[in-house]
Amino acid sequence: MIVEATAGDEAALIALWEACGLTRAWNPPARDIAFALAGPGSTILVARGVVAPEHRALDRDHVVSSLCSREGDEHAALTGSVMVGHDGHRGWVYYLAVAPDARRAGLGRALMAAAETWLRARGVPKIQLMVRTGNEDAHAFYRALGFADQPVAVFGRFLD
């Protein structure tokens, strides 16, 4: 089941992100979680429950529909997440994570579809994301979803 996270999911989200190698020492994940959940322009969507091994052999549409429609899993372990937000023009995705033992069953695709649905419901016309240089598996995943490299450079600096 894919639902919006709550503040009570913080420890499980951090554990998931650490297991997936998404955290960095200079970027405290608890701060990101609190910020994303605090305002109307962002949220974190989470997948609860385990994708059973027998479902891995099924087509991805079956797995996606079963994940999005199950009831009663509100206390199940987190198996995936995606942080989504917007500035009114562009939607952004961060922290797409799928637990290592739940990969290759369509959960990443389901989370991205849920993020796109969340953005469309708010009238956001474009979705963007950043992938670290050298993460070829992520590059291939997003290309398979129809994302393309954009002719822009990303600049940044810390404000604190």
Side-chain angles (χ1 to χ4, degrees):
M1 177 168 71
I2 297 175
V3 297
E4 289 198 34
T6 67
D9 291 319
E10 180 182 300
L13 280 165
I14 292 171
L16 174 65
W17 296 349
E18 287 176 348
C20 294
L22 298 179
T23 59
R24 297 296 183 263
W26 61 85
N27 193 29
R31 183 179 63 193
D32 288 346
I33 293 165
F35 193 81
L37 296 179
S42 59
T43 196
I44 302 169
L45 303 173
V46 294
R48 297 189 188 281
V50 177
V51 177
E54 64 271 13
H55 287 165
R56 293 171 198 243
L58 298 174
D59 68 272
R60 293 183 193 280
D61 290 337
H62 172 81
V63 173
V64 170
S65 66
S66 68
L67 282 167
C68 293
S69 63
R70 276 200 320 235
E71 298 292 331
D73 286 345
E74 58 272 1
H75 300 294
L78 297 187
T79 52
S81 75
V82 62
M83 182 183 291
V84 60
H86 69 89
D87 59 16
H89 176 65
R90 291 177 186 90
W92 287 90
V93 169
Y94 305 92
Y95 289 110
L96 175 65
V98 174
D101 63 346
R103 291 184 179 164
R104 303 282 181 205
L107 184 52
R109 288 177 179 268
L111 286 160
M112 286 301 295
E116 289 182 19
T117 297
W118 190 91
L119 290 167
R120 280 189 189 99
R122 286 150 185 82
V124 180
K126 184 178 183 182
I127 185 172
Q128 297 186 154
L129 52 93
M130 294 180 281
V131 178
R132 289 189 178 97
T133 302
N135 189 345
E136 295 307 318
D137 288 342
H139 286 243
F141 171 77
Y142 290 117
R143 284 187 186 109
L145 294 181
F147 286 81
D149 293 325
Q150 301 292 293
V152 298
V154 176
F155 292 87
R157 71 180 182 135
F158 291 100
L159 298 175
D160 52 14

